[in-house]
Amino acid sequence: MGRNSTTITVFILLGFSDIPSLQHLFFSVFLVTYIVTLAGNLLIIVLTLADPALHTPMYFFLRNLSFLEMCYTSVNVPKMLGNLLSGDKAISFTGCAMQTYFSFFLGGSECFLLASMAYDRYVAICKPLHYPVVMNRKVSTGLAAGSWLSGLLMSFGHTSMVFILPFCRSHEINHFFCDIPPLLKLACGDTSRNEMAVFMVAMSFDTFPFMLILMSYVCIISTILRMPSREGRRKSFSTCSSHLVVVTLFYGSACIMYLKPNSSYSPDTDKFLSLSYTVITPMLNPITYSLRNKEVKGAFWRMVQRRSRKML
């Protein structure tokens, strides 16, 4: 990276500078969203740790997801808020590379973590008698650790393939964070091989966990439909509906963003799609799991009651 930094040492994140009249509105909205995201995900972590009833593999994975979302949104949102408030949109070459690395590290980890959660639901619904044995502490910990490690490896490949390029066309990134598509637009020479490499890595690391999720839910839905009791079908579906909503939100926007042809690149569209999975989805995850999950709501009210008794 040092060799390239002699060409460009600082990038400018243009963000939403094309609509200056809305800068303060954007700042207020994104600040509130960021606070709600941190508070909501932190609450999920506290509840799943404090309540013994939630010491199960499902909530162990949910705790990992909440921690990941707090980190994920903190990689990009604070810098975006600073840019909106101060007008200083500069980011160093190294800072840009680190932002890209951690964005893809956490994003890739989430792909595999969502797949692990889908597998957990598959075993719970399709093989309930084997669930305590199959999804023991060792397996759950291994799946979570594997998810984080997979994101680590994917991010290293993505970031390396972009930042080995010389950047000399411009130092202005038409985005609110250092994302790969706008960075490739600034690189000199023929970047087709790098674009293909990035696409292939995204295909392998994103599509594989998605296919695992898809196969898990085919089996889950098939099992639920064969249940004789209507109440049993409703209860089984309610345990995985929150996860299904989260998967749809995350994968829907991410797949459109990174698996589309580079010829269809549109800065404004990409900013909107990026907001959906870097800002909106991390905020909605704890809300989705809280509103649709009786166990989480029960744990919350039990915690409130314990606090109330201590105050009396």
Side-chain angles (χ1 to χ4, degrees):
M1 288 183 190
R3 177 171 56 86
N4 297 335
S5 64
T6 58
T7 303
I8 289 181
T9 58
V10 175
F11 288 107
I12 302 297
L13 294 169
L14 296 180
F16 304 98
S17 56
D18 54 333
I19 36 179
S21 59
L22 297 179
Q23 298 291 292
H24 288 93
L25 175 62
F26 284 150
F27 174 81
S28 301
V29 171
F30 293 145
L31 178 61
V32 171
T33 302
Y34 183 55
I35 293 172
V36 171
T37 299
L38 294 182
N41 283 289
L42 182 60
L43 179 62
I44 292 290
I45 293 172
V46 170
L47 289 175
T48 56
L49 281 172
D51 198 304
L54 302 185
H55 291 177
T56 64
M58 175 181 173
Y59 294 106
F60 168 73
F61 289 125
L62 179 57
R63 189 159 58 247
N64 271 266
L65 180 65
S66 292
F67 177 70
L68 187 150
E69 296 289 29
M70 291 175 68
C71 297
Y72 192 26
T73 195
S74 296
V75 171
N76 300 319
V77 174
K79 177 63 178 173
M80 178 174 64
L81 291 173
N83 292 351
L84 288 168
L85 188 63
S86 68
D88 179 13
K89 303 181 185 303
I91 184 170
S92 68
F93 185 93
T94 303
C96 188
M98 294 298 289
Q99 193 179 59
T100 302
Y101 177 80
F102 281 105
S103 293
F104 280 90
F105 163 46
L106 295 165
S109 298
E110 183 161 353
C111 290
F112 283 90
L113 189 59
L114 290 173
S116 299
M117 295 173 77
Y119 177 70
D120 172 73
R121 292 299 84 206
Y122 160 75
V123 177
I125 293 172
C126 300
K127 302 181 183 295
L129 297 178
H130 299 94
Y131 184 75
V133 177
V134 175
M135 292 303 297
N136 55 50
R137 181 184 293 271
K138 185 178 180 180
V139 172
S140 302
T141 304
L143 287 172
S147 299
W148 288 94
L149 181 60
S150 298
L152 195 74
L153 296 174
M154 183 197 77
S155 182
F156 181 77
H158 267 77
T159 309
S160 299
M161 284 182 283
V162 173
F163 284 90
I164 59 173
L165 295 168
F167 296 96
C168 54
R169 289 179 181 170
S170 172
H171 68 299
E172 294 184 343
I173 302 174
N174 194 3
H175 213 302
F176 60 86
F177 74 101
C178 292
D179 201 8
I180 285 179
L183 279 167
L184 287 173
K185 291 293 181 182
L186 305 183
C188 304
D190 182 15
T191 61
S192 57
R193 289 185 179 181
N194 300 76
E195 290 168 10
M196 181 55 66
V198 168
F199 179 80
M200 293 305 296
V201 171
M203 280 289 289
S204 59
F205 278 90
D206 295 348
T207 305
F208 177 66
F210 179 74
M211 293 305 297
L212 291 177
I213 293 171
L214 191 61
M215 288 188 292
S216 296
Y217 273 101
V218 168
C219 296
I220 288 170
I221 293 171
S222 176
T223 300
I224 291 175
L225 292 176
R226 291 198 304 269
M227 290 179 177
S229 166
R230 182 177 180 180
E231 178 62 23
R233 291 195 298 269
R234 186 198 64 78
K235 186 176 180 181
S236 296
F237 186 74
S238 68
T239 64
C240 57
S241 58
S242 299
H243 177 256
L244 197 55
V245 170
V246 170
V247 167
T248 303
L249 287 171
F250 179 79
Y251 265 99
S253 55
C255 286
I256 294 172
M257 180 74 183
Y258 294 107
L259 298 183
K260 69 181 187 301
N262 195 54
S263 57
S264 62
Y265 171 74
S266 168
D268 292 335
T269 302
D270 282 5
K271 287 177 193 178
F272 174 77
L273 289 171
S274 297
L275 282 174
S276 68
Y277 66 82
T278 60
V279 178
I280 299 172
T281 300
M283 179 189 69
L284 292 179
N285 282 356
I287 297 173
T288 301
Y289 276 100
S290 299
L291 293 179
R292 301 181 66 87
N293 192 303
K294 291 182 179 179
E295 291 178 324
V296 173
K297 287 190 286 188
F300 173 75
W301 289 115
R302 285 193 294 273
M303 185 179 72
V304 171
Q305 289 171 359
R306 287 196 299 269
R307 296 290 182 183
S308 299
R309 286 197 292 266
K310 287 181 180 181
M311 294 176 64
L312 295 175

